[in-house]
Each structure stands twice: as structure tokens, then as C-alpha cells.
Amino acid sequence: MTLIGRTRTRGIKTLSLDSPDTRNALSASLVRELAEALTDCAKDTDVRAIVLTHTGNTFCAGADLRDPPPPESLVAVLRQIVELPKPVVARVTGHVRAGGLGLLAACDITIASTSATFAFTEVRIGVAPAVISLPLLPRTDPRALARYYLTGERFDATEATRAGLLTAAGEDVDEVLAPILDGVRRSAPEALAETKRLLTARVLETFDRDAADLTALSARLFGSAQAREGMTAFLERRDPAWVV
């Protein structure tokens, strides 16, 4: 069963996270298939830009707690999105949690419907948004991140736009997306690649500097007793032991 849908229209390749039964959680298999699809897009000279979207009512629920990807694999796919020499545009019509927000931050342009919701839920299961901070910290308002990293609160598309997580939001996501895709279709491929390189330089500096430390932090936290309690509580639909 494929976990990544692929379609193409007028130079735009759409990749869909297609595991609605798991709310498109980042399993080892899904991350691997996404990396393969992105590699194919990079090689295809007929692809001008990539739209990253989803099936079901959730864009991505974060890491799959039953089959989590190695931290190194998640770092690699986030970097792949940032480094891809073609614009990657996120199209979101559902909910985004934890690691899914890292995918959004890695994309060049992010568009969501006003019904979408967002939350960094890591602290509530006993871990931290470590690896996904690589694209998030350079691109997102630090005060907003402090609040939502530390509390796990849910926030809406208006707040996500204000914080810099989204480029824009609207009731009809495709209506918002249309002029953006028209713009990249009118743009020269080499010019797009060099312009993207300018925009992502500081993000890649963060990867170069911090990826090893944040990967180690993620592995340590996910292997901790606190994380085991948090994940067990989540799967059993109860509060973890530390809730006061």
C-alpha cells in the first residue's frame, strides 16, 4: 500500500500524505516514501514546483508512536524539502500536530484553510520538539514558539499566520493557492532554484550547526521513562502521571 499519492497538472507535482487511518502520522514507512517521492521530483525537469498536501481531516498528527521514524530520517526529509531546488508549497485543509509542523516549516510557502488547527503536543507526551526546531526556529516568531512549545495549546490558522508558520489562510484554500501556483508556473526554473537558495541559506546553517545535537536530544527523550509514560497515557486515552 502506497502512503504517498502522486499527481501532476501543468508542471505542478502534488504529493499527498495518504494514510488517513493513522491521521498521516510520520511512520518510518511514510517518511521513507516521502523522501523517495521528493527525490523523483528533484530529478524531473517537467516539475516546476511541488504541492505537499494530505487526504483525510488531518494533514499530519506528528510521529507515529507505534512505528516512529529514526530521528536521522526525519532530519533528512526536512532538509530535503529545504534543499530541493524547486518551491515546495504546503496545502493544508485539516489539523496539524507536532512533527507535522516541522513539515510545514520546511516548506517554502504554506497555505491553510481557516478550519485548520495546530499544536506542538510534544511536551504533553514527555518529549520536546527537537528535530522539527531545525526549520521552525529560523522561520517562526520566537515569542509564539515559546508559548506553544511550552504549553501544547491548540491554535488556529489566524494565529499560525501571525506567527509566521503559515504564509496565508482562507476559507477556500485552493482560491488562495491559485495565484501562487500561477506565479511559479510563470517563473524560470533556474531563477526559482537560485532564489530559493537565497531564502533557505540561514535555515540550512541551522541544520549544519544543530542537527547532530537535536537528533541526539530527540533519541534520548523518546527513550526516557517519562516519554514511555506519556506515550502509554496517550494511547490509553488518560492523563499521564505528572498532570497536576
Side-chain angles (χ1 to χ4, degrees), residues 158-192:
T158 299
E159 177 68 0
T161 304
R162 186 202 65 76
L165 183 63
L166 295 179
T167 305
E171 289 188 19
D172 185 336
V173 69
D174 292 314
E175 187 175 283
V176 179
L177 197 56
I180 293 167
L181 298 184
D182 181 64
V184 296
R185 284 183 172 116
R186 294 174 181 273
S187 302
E190 290 186 15
L192 282 174

Side-chain angles (χ1 to χ4, degrees), residues 44-146:
D44 191 339
T45 57
D46 292 329
V47 172
R48 185 66 49 84
I50 296 94
V51 170
L52 182 62
T53 189
H54 60 103
T55 59
N57 65 3
T58 301
F59 174 78
C60 178
D64 187 331
L65 300 184
R66 291 185 172 87
D67 179 28
E72 298 85 356
S73 296
L74 185 54
V75 169
V77 81
L78 293 175
R79 181 162 192 149
Q80 189 176 10
I81 293 170
V82 174
E83 283 189 318
L84 201 80
K86 303 174 185 188
V88 182
V89 181
R91 175 190 177 277
V92 179
T93 60
H95 310 301
V96 193
R97 299 290 184 267
L101 292 161
L103 291 181
L104 292 191
C107 293
D108 303 290
I109 297 170
T110 52
I111 308 299
S113 67
T114 50
S115 61
T117 66
F118 310 83
F120 294 99
T121 52
E122 288 89 347
V123 289
R124 298 195 179 191
I125 63 165
V127 296
V131 166
I132 64 171
S133 288
L134 292 166
L136 276 159
L137 289 176
R139 286 179 157 169
T140 313
D141 176 70
R143 286 297 188 186
L145 280 188

